[in-house]
Amino acid sequence: MATASFVSIAAAQPVSRADTPDAALNLLMEGNARYVANQPRERDFSFSRASRAAGQAPFAAILGCADSRIAPELAFDQEPGDLFVVRVAGNFVTTDGLASLEYGAAVLGTKLIMVLGHSSCGAVKATVEALQKGNNLPGHIADLARAMKPGIESVLNESGDNLEQRAVIANVRHNVERLQQATPILSDMVTKKKIRVVGGVYELATGKITLV
């Protein structure tokens, strides 16, 4: 019954702008290039708002940080309805976030998931400091550090400059792997090449997103 319900929801959605994972990634990166160049597409929100009431067909999903300085729809120069965005401080996989991404892929038809980290990430910095110094973070903030520890801990023993940026990249890559291996939905779709999971890092000063 639940499966039939999901199928009916999917059938009612508009047509996606991308029909393959590669096409979805190209749309994202082309949009980011426009954003960096400060040449976004012109939009008429009043005209498109009514059509979006009929349904949604996002071509990509973003697992991004809750940082207020980053708006995925702007950074990728996409319309409302194009991106299915899940946000949590530190852009890591949670049970609820995974369920949302599964829904986006299996029901709404997203072709791509990007785990999007960013420079100067406060959640990453707090996790690095907690791992190095054993800081006692207040309230549930400590839960963020515990959740991010598996993806970040390994870089503490590596040599090199800019530990925080390396930790940002390591955290993104770790969560890309988690999504690629997430059963039962995403791992099967990745194997069948119905969806692709990639990682990116947003540079706050320029707006440029680099794949990692």
Side-chain angles (χ1 to χ4, degrees), residues 114-148:
M114 179 180 288
V115 180
L116 183 62
H118 65 93
S119 61
S120 302
C121 180
V124 169
K125 181 179 179 180
T127 301
V128 169
E129 291 180 351
L131 292 173
Q132 287 180 321
K133 306 173 185 177
N135 291 351
N136 293 318
L137 297 169
H140 293 287
I141 299 174
D143 295 338
L144 291 176
R146 281 191 287 270
M148 296 170 68

Side-chain angles (χ1 to χ4, degrees), residues 31-41 77 206:
N32 181 243
R34 291 192 300 271
Y35 175 73
V36 172
N38 200 27
Q39 297 177 340
R41 294 175 299 175
D77 190 33
T206 65

Side-chain angles (χ1 to χ4, degrees), residues 170-185:
N171 182 54
V172 167
R173 289 174 174 169
H174 175 73
N175 285 283
V176 167
E177 291 178 3
R178 288 189 64 190
L179 291 175
Q180 289 172 334
Q181 298 168 11
T183 56
I185 294 176

Side-chain angles (χ1 to χ4, degrees), residues 67-117:
D67 193 292
S68 63
R69 297 167 292 182
I70 304 159
E73 290 86 354
L74 296 180
F76 290 109
D77 190 33
Q78 300 302 322
E79 300 273 2
D82 285 338
L83 302 181
F84 195 68
V85 180
V86 176
R87 299 182 69 163
V88 62
N91 46 268
F92 62 90
V93 179
T94 66
T95 301
D96 295 339
L98 174 58
S100 295
L101 294 169
E102 288 177 335
Y103 182 84
V107 179
L108 300 181
T110 55
K111 302 300 181 184
L112 183 86
I113 299 173
M114 179 180 288
V115 180
L116 183 62

